[in-house]
Amino acid sequence: MNDLVRQHTALSESDLEWLHLLVSEWQLLSDLSFADLVLWVPTLDGTRYVSVAQMRPNTGPTSYQDDMVGHLVPRGRRPLLDAALDEGRIVREGDPEWREEVPVRVESIPVRREGRVLGVIARNTNLLTVRTPSRLELTYLQSASDLAQMIAAGAFPFPGQQVDMDASPRAGDGLIRLDADGVVQYASPNALSAYHRLGLAADLVGQHLGQITAELAPSRGPVDEALVKLASGYAPREAEVEGNGGVIQLRAIPLKPKGPRIGSLILLRDVTELRRRERELITKDATIREIHHRVKNNLQTVAALLRLQARRMDSVRGREALNEAVRRVGSIAIVHETLSQNLDERVEFDEIADRVLAMVAEISPGKVECRRTGRCGILDAEVATPLSMVLTEVLQNALEHAFAPGEHGTVEVTAMRGGPRGDERLLLTVQDDGHGLPEGFDPQQAGNLGLQIVRTLVVGELSGTFDMKPAPGRGTRVVLDIPVRSQK
């Protein structure tokens, strides 16, 4: 719609925003009218109309099998559009049109904003299945007529009331028609069932909906006046009411076809099961986060025990081995700590990489600077956990073997995400400017425990590749190429 309006019309951005507001609401008008809606806007030169939006009803058959958006029609071809635009009134004159042997009643509703007519809604009703209307259908049609008059007068939609069409109740979910005093004139079967779910034992018709709703909603103090006003339809608002184990979502739409409020529409939806599932998911998420928190605590306890044991050992090699184990356990604990703060099993690995860098830098025998460039991005936990251990081992190996005690140096971790079809691989490079690799060193055959862990995790668990080679100039470069799922 944005492109069509900007390309073909003279409407301003504020006018376009009003049309967006209208389109966010007009599913209700379509359902209440049992009709298709097409929004026509005059072109810049005033000689044609362009259709910028279309809506089909959920409550009846469509009048248009084809998509009408983008069609251009010259003035004069559809007299009802011309009359509605020029005279600023709803136009219903004329005989039904025949489209593919289907009779269609056409009406035109001007769309007014701040005294100006921006465009015209063509309301097209398929008459093939017309029958004697029920009380429900009569209420729908009367409500649709009131809304159409409000659109023509510029009183609907309500400014600042952007509606989420997916989350907001629809006419078919449940509809209640109130008079000006908030007394129920009509309640659809779905609406009555929803109020029975809240604990209502009687009929709704003739009852003051605001008072009934406040009585059904449990309250420890005085009657909730805001809830009474909302359920009485005095202002366009939304709320949820919970009682007797049920939850209903309410939306109030004041009806002002001729200025003063003559009544209201209350749309409602029974969301009891939806809210129950949401609570279960929240509980499940909280449980998972608590599990990660406890695993992190247990790993830190294990690391502390290993650290105590290392302090009591006389063997230098044994003490170093235990300290390496402390760092390995610590790298896993960092991942679980990050997961305990998230709502899903995905983590921002850059934060983990920085913490691993800081943890491993503490063992540096010299004055070595550790830094990271690039971005690892978001990774699944099943990738982040082994990758944190791999990064720990590679950094630890660089700091222990690349520099002599007291020697200055640099270790840089470079990350790059990419792939032929998007963000599918992570290329992680760890490069130092230390002494370099020994003569004839083969990283794929080296028996060092740390390198064995790296090979096993990268190749076996992460399905990636691992290479260690001399860096250009001086030092060593380790390259990890790991497949990761794309996170858009």
Side-chain angles (χ1 to χ4, degrees):
M1 186 167 71
N2 288 348
D3 293 339
L4 289 171
V5 168
R6 290 165 181 158
Q7 178 181 355
H8 294 286
T9 78
L11 297 182
S12 65
E13 289 299 316
S14 58
D15 292 334
L16 177 58
E17 188 61 32
W18 182 264
L19 295 184
H20 275 292
L21 194 60
L22 172 66
V23 169
S24 74
E25 293 274 22
W26 73 342
Q27 178 72 66
L28 174 61
L29 178 62
S30 178
D31 290 345
L32 293 176
S33 303
F34 308 97
D36 292 74
L37 305 178
V38 179
L39 178 57
W40 297 93
V41 180
T43 56
L44 183 61
D45 58 9
T47 62
R48 295 181 295 175
Y49 299 96
V50 58
S51 58
V52 299
Q54 179 178 359
M55 178 58 67
R56 292 184 173 90
N58 294 316
T59 51
T62 183
S63 302
Y64 287 109
Q65 299 300 325
D66 299 326
D67 189 359
M68 296 296 297
V69 175
H71 283 216
L72 290 165
V73 174
R75 275 184 66 96
R77 181 175 295 179
R78 300 193 178 183
L80 297 187
L81 292 182
D82 297 340
L85 182 68
D86 297 338
E87 301 173 21
R89 64 180 179 88
I90 299 175
V91 182
R92 297 189 176 92
E93 296 89 348
D95 297 327
E97 297 181 2
W98 287 84
R99 299 176 187 164
E100 299 180 358
E101 300 184 354
V102 175
V104 176
R105 182 175 64 242
V106 181
E107 304 166 85
S108 295
I109 306 167
V111 177
R112 192 183 303 274
R113 174 179 180 263
E114 296 180 352
R116 296 181 299 112
V117 178
L118 307 182
V120 179
I121 294 176
R123 182 163 55 178
N124 303 269
T125 307
N126 187 324
L127 300 177
L128 195 61
T129 58
V130 169
R131 62 184 187 279
T132 303
S134 65
R135 179 73 187 281
L136 171 68
E137 292 168 332
L138 288 173
T139 303
Y140 271 30
L141 293 172
Q142 179 58 51
S143 302
S145 177
D146 293 336
L147 287 178
Q149 292 181 62
M150 292 171 64
I151 292 173
F156 188 83
F158 304 110
Q161 293 287 323
Q162 188 79 28
V163 175
D164 185 345
M165 294 176 62
D166 295 327
S168 186
R170 298 188 178 187
D173 297 324
L175 179 141
I176 297 174
R177 173 95 184 202
L178 306 179
D179 64 14
D181 296 323
V183 177
V184 178
Q185 293 179 315
Y186 175 79
S188 71
N190 284 346
L192 189 58
S193 297
Y195 265 83
H196 285 167
R197 189 79 176 261
L198 290 181
L200 178 69
D203 193 3
L204 275 173
V205 176
Q207 303 278 358
H208 190 281
L209 188 65
Q211 296 175 0
I212 288 291
T213 305
E215 291 171 2
L216 294 173
S219 176
R220 297 179 181 177
V223 174
D224 189 341
E225 293 296 333
L227 182 58
V228 172
K229 290 183 178 180
L230 181 143
S232 300
Y234 294 132
R237 294 177 184 171
E238 291 193 38
E240 286 190 2
V241 180
E242 184 171 357
N244 194 40
V247 184
I248 62 173
Q249 184 181 7
L250 296 177
R251 183 187 175 205
I253 302 174
L255 297 176
K256 305 176 181 179
K258 296 181 181 180
R261 188 175 65 87
I262 64 167
S264 306
L265 283 182
I266 305 294
L267 304 179
L268 62 152
R269 175 188 294 167
D270 186 344
V271 293
T272 304
E273 296 305 316
L274 177 63
R275 295 297 176 259
R276 182 182 63 82
R277 289 194 295 269
E278 287 178 351
R279 287 166 184 157
E280 289 177 353
L281 288 174
I282 291 173
T283 302
K284 179 182 177 182
D285 289 340
T287 301
I288 292 174
R289 290 198 298 271
E290 179 62 21
I291 290 172
H292 284 302
H293 182 70
R294 294 190 181 188
V295 169
K296 182 263 298 184
N297 288 344
N298 290 338
L299 289 172
Q300 288 180 337
T301 300
V302 171
L305 293 174
L306 291 173
R307 196 176 293 108
L308 287 174
Q309 186 66 42
R311 292 172 181 170
R312 293 175 176 270
M313 292 196 68
D314 297 329
S315 169
V316 175
R317 293 188 61 187
R319 189 161 54 247
E320 291 178 351
L322 287 177
N323 285 331
E324 288 181 2
V326 168
R327 287 187 288 275
R328 288 164 185 153
V329 172
S331 66
I332 302 174
I334 289 173
V335 178
H336 282 281
E337 182 178 3
T338 304
L339 287 170
S340 70
Q341 301 169 2
N342 292 346
L343 295 177
D344 53 22
E345 292 292 290
R346 296 160 58 196
V347 295
E348 180 67 57
F349 195 77
D350 298 292
E351 177 186 346
I352 294 175
D354 291 340
R355 295 182 62 179
V356 168
L357 273 169
M359 178 183 69
V360 176
E362 295 177 357
I363 68 158
S364 173
K367 299 179 180 180
V368 180
E369 178 188 359
C370 297
R371 61 172 180 258
R372 175 183 62 83
T373 59
R375 186 173 181 273
C376 301
I378 297 175
L379 301 179
D380 291 337
E382 60 187 13
V383 175
T385 301
L387 185 58
S388 67
M389 288 193 63
V390 168
L391 184 59
T392 301
E393 295 297 334
V394 172
L395 289 170
Q396 185 171 294
N397 187 73
L399 291 173
E400 285 185 352
H401 302 293
F403 306 100
E407 187 177 5
H408 290 264
T410 302
V411 176
E412 183 172 7
V413 178
T414 304
M416 184 173 65
R417 289 284 289 267
R421 293 182 302 278
D423 213 21
E424 299 173 351
R425 303 194 73 83
L426 171 61
L427 189 66
L428 206 59
T429 304
V430 180
Q431 182 169 320
D432 65 68
D433 56 359
H435 301 152
L437 297 172
E439 189 72 27
F441 179 80
D442 184 359
Q444 306 301 329
Q445 302 295 328
N448 178 285
L449 177 60
L451 291 181
Q452 289 181 8
I453 292 174
V454 171
R455 287 197 299 268
T456 300
L457 292 177
V458 171
V459 179
E461 189 162 341
L462 295 174
S463 301
T465 60
F466 159 69
D467 191 21
M468 177 182 287
K469 54 189 176 183
R474 183 187 180 192
T476 304
R477 173 184 290 176
V478 177
V479 180
L480 308 171
D481 189 354
I482 299 166
V484 292
R485 190 175 67 186
S486 177
Q487 303 291 356
K488 298 295 183 181

